[in-house]
Amino acid sequence: MITNMSTQKFNYLLLLLLLTPAILKAQPRPLSLSEALTLAEENNLNVKSAEARVEAARARYRMTNSAFLPGLEASHTGMSTNDPLNSFGFKLKQEIVTQQDFNPDLLNDPGSIENFQTKIELQQPLLNLDGIYARKAAKNQLDAMAFQNNRVKLNIKYEVKKAYYMLELAESSVEVLEKSVAVAEEALRLTKNNAEQGFAKEADVLEASVRVEERKNQLLEAQNQRQTANDFLAYLLGMEFSEVIETTDSLIQPPMQVIIDRNSVNLESRSDMLAYQKQIEAGENMVKSNKMKFVPRLNAFGAMEWNDESLFGTSANNYMVGASLSWSLFSGYKNAGAIQQATAQLDEARINYEDYLSQSQIEINRATRKMELNYKRIQSSKLAKDQAQESLRIRTNRFEQGLEKTADLLMSEALTSQKELEYIQSIYNYKQAIFEMELLIEQDINE
């Protein structure tokens, strides 16, 4: 008996240990909007991708240091030959030439000789104007990527705000529909009682049953939408999809009207506009860089080498220093074509900037009108909700007294639920319009 009891306790503890992670995992995680924004900035994949692009641009910019900094190479080469010319040269490099080496027989047939050369070479750019302007263009591209990275973060912030309140909207919809189901079930219960007492028909019971099933189906759909909203918000925040997020910032609150002066908005200071401007500057510098390829280049060089008949030997050494002035006079129109291409790309960048600027102004005008319209819809939907709730209250009292038909009560309840959902949706639409305006002007708006 004791053994059986011990086995049961062991099995119970084992089952508890296995279920504990799942139980803990299912616990909702309270999350404020500010916490969600912080998580997105740290974990969002799009943000990380944008930061990686900035690092790639920074690396390309560092590569242009070669226009100023020296290049240093080291090598060790081993060779063996019986070539008369190279054999005598190797002896000179190794500083082992003797009078006997000038014997014509040895000069013509020196035999095999080995030479191991250790060499250090230095290349120092002095004047490369095309490289200087190419470096400036790379810096412009780095700045553009930094501005684009900032714009990506603002876009993710906008998406997180929308997704956060979409989850809150879905949760509120579930709550409204749960109440609707409860009302429909209560109406069904009363209808069945009335039917048993002869005060209602079987058709009324059937209609009430259908209404309950309809509301349950709507509730199930709302719950699915809530799970979808939860998954999308978790994706934006870099969380596990299995985590249940509990929003703590309420959607249902009387919003204040926000008024934006469109004439005071400076679009050219927006981060994506600044990125365009930097790309144009990069294009201008690339045109200059290609033009500078027609200008002579001046570079210095130096080398130090050690030669020996043994591996890694350093018995003899010599050096060489100098400078070279090179000028590409004609390259088969390669440079001229590069200038034309860079100029055309610069013109395209300028046109795209003007077009994007115009489109952004249209978006601000549209967003302003959208904010004004959605705020008015909040007022009208609130009035409709209050009227529907009052009508439902009156019809419910009359129904309980047997003075109202089941169909009329159910229609009133359906209308009330619809108006409550429309009111919640209107608040969400207004908040979304504000978030869109914040993105367009890159400024937080306090409601």
Side-chain angles (χ1 to χ4, degrees):
M1 185 69 180
I2 297 176
T3 303
N4 291 336
M5 288 295 295
S6 300
T7 303
Q8 290 177 357
K9 288 182 179 180
F10 176 77
N11 291 336
Y12 174 76
L13 291 175
L14 181 60
L15 180 62
L16 183 62
L17 289 173
L18 292 174
L19 292 178
T20 296
I23 295 173
L24 294 176
K25 207 171 191 179
Q27 292 298 320
R29 176 177 177 176
L31 198 67
S32 67
L33 179 58
S34 60
E35 292 172 336
L37 293 172
T38 301
L39 284 175
E41 188 170 356
E42 295 174 351
N43 303 323
N44 184 266
L45 297 178
N46 289 324
V47 171
K48 291 182 177 180
S49 177
E51 290 174 347
R53 289 194 294 271
V54 172
E55 291 304 313
R58 180 173 287 109
R60 288 192 294 270
Y61 175 61
R62 292 188 66 182
M63 290 169 62
T64 62
N65 288 339
S66 60
F68 302 98
L69 299 180
L72 187 64
E73 293 184 5
S75 64
H76 184 78
T77 307
M79 292 178 287
S80 177
T81 183
N82 64 354
D83 176 78
L85 182 61
N86 286 321
S87 294
F88 192 77
F90 285 166
K91 289 184 177 182
L92 285 175
K93 286 179 174 291
Q94 295 175 12
E95 300 177 0
I96 59 174
V97 176
T98 63
Q99 185 65 36
Q100 186 180 359
D101 292 320
F102 289 94
N103 185 334
D105 293 335
L106 290 178
L107 287 174
N108 292 326
D109 188 12
S112 178
I113 186 172
E114 287 74 33
N115 183 65
F116 294 92
Q117 181 187 80
T118 302
K119 188 175 183 180
I120 297 179
E121 294 180 280
L122 177 69
Q123 300 284 340
Q124 174 62 59
L126 297 179
L127 184 61
N128 294 291
L129 295 178
D130 60 327
I132 293 175
Y133 284 108
R135 176 179 171 81
K136 290 182 179 180
K139 181 60 166 66
N140 296 144
Q141 290 289 353
L142 172 58
D143 293 339
M145 282 295 177
F147 285 124
Q148 288 178 1
N149 179 40
N150 184 60
R151 188 64 181 175
V152 168
K153 290 182 178 180
L154 291 172
N155 271 294
I156 294 302
K157 182 179 179 181
Y158 166 65
E159 293 294 338
V160 168
K161 287 181 178 180
K162 283 201 308 178
Y164 184 90
Y165 283 110
M166 176 60 75
L167 178 57
E168 176 69 19
L169 172 64
E171 183 63 39
S172 300
S173 299
V174 169
E175 292 175 359
V176 170
L177 290 171
E178 285 176 343
K179 293 178 182 178
S180 179
V181 169
V183 171
E185 289 177 339
E186 178 64 17
L188 175 61
R189 186 186 67 81
L190 294 175
T191 302
K192 286 181 177 180
N193 292 338
N194 292 335
E196 291 173 356
Q197 299 174 13
F199 297 119
K201 300 178 181 179
E202 189 64 27
D204 295 331
V205 176
L206 181 60
E207 184 176 3
S209 300
V210 171
R211 181 59 183 166
V212 169
E213 293 303 317
E214 288 178 348
R215 300 312 277 172
K216 285 183 177 179
N217 289 335
Q218 292 178 353
L219 175 60
L220 180 60
E221 182 179 356
Q223 290 171 340
N224 290 337
Q225 292 176 349
R226 177 179 60 183
Q227 185 59 50
T228 300
N230 186 95
D231 291 346
F232 184 62
L233 181 58
Y235 159 73
L236 291 175
L237 305 185
M239 299 169 57
E240 296 292 336
F241 291 132
S242 57
E243 286 201 66
V244 179
I245 301 174
E246 179 183 347
T247 56
T248 59
D249 291 355
S250 175
L251 175 67
I252 308 302
Q253 56 182 350
M256 300 294 293
Q257 185 175 12
V258 176
I259 300 176
I260 300 295
D261 183 8
R262 286 177 283 184
N263 297 324
S264 64
V265 177
N266 183 15
L267 278 176
E268 295 186 356
S269 63
R270 213 169 68 182
S271 55
D272 53 345
M273 296 297 176
L274 294 175
Y276 262 106
Q277 295 168 18
K278 288 298 180 181
Q279 288 173 351
I280 291 174
E281 291 179 17
E284 292 171 345
N285 282 314
M286 284 308 299
V287 171
K288 294 177 181 178
S289 175
N290 284 292
K291 288 181 178 180
M292 289 301 106
K293 290 180 180 179
F294 289 103
V295 177
R297 297 181 177 184
L298 180 61
N299 297 288
F301 60 88
M304 186 72 182
E305 65 178 50
W306 292 263
N307 293 273
D308 201 294
E309 59 183 354
S310 301
L311 184 65
F312 298 110
T314 57
S315 62
N317 63 76
N318 60 80
Y319 71 88
M320 180 184 296
V321 295
S324 65
L325 181 66
S326 60
W327 194 353
S328 178
L329 298 177
F330 183 70
S331 58
Y333 291 106
K334 178 181 178 181
N335 293 340
I339 293 174
Q340 292 177 350
Q341 181 183 14
T343 302
Q345 290 174 344
L346 175 59
D347 292 339
E348 181 184 9
R350 287 170 174 166
I351 293 171
N352 289 340
Y353 174 71
E354 293 298 329
D355 180 63
Y356 189 68
L357 189 62
S358 299
Q359 290 183 17
S360 298
Q361 185 61 59
I362 293 174
E363 288 178 353
I364 286 183
N365 296 340
R366 178 187 57 79
T368 303
R369 293 190 294 268
K370 183 178 178 181
M371 285 176 55
E372 295 171 354
L373 177 61
N374 285 333
Y375 184 77
K376 292 178 181 179
R377 285 177 175 171
I378 290 177
Q379 311 309 313
S380 59
S381 62
K382 184 178 185 302
L383 179 60
K385 174 182 72 73
D386 293 341
Q387 290 175 341
Q389 288 176 340
E390 179 62 19
S391 176
L392 177 61
R393 185 187 67 80
I394 295 173
R395 288 184 182 275
T396 301
N397 292 336
R398 290 174 58 83
F399 178 79
E400 292 174 351
Q401 297 172 11
L403 301 176
E404 197 73 42
K405 295 181 180 180
T406 302
D408 294 336
L409 175 65
L410 294 177
M411 289 179 60
S412 179
E413 187 279 326
L415 180 62
T416 300
S417 299
Q418 177 185 345
K419 295 305 177 181
E420 287 180 354
L421 293 175
E422 288 178 356
Y423 174 65
I424 299 171
Q425 183 70 50
S426 67
I427 295 178
Y428 173 79
N429 291 341
Y430 182 62
K431 283 184 174 292
Q432 181 180 351
I434 292 177
F435 299 151
E436 183 179 358
M437 180 59 72
E438 290 178 340
L439 177 64
L440 291 173
I441 66 176
E442 290 192 353
Q443 179 181 346
D444 288 335
I445 300 174
N446 296 321
E447 297 183 47

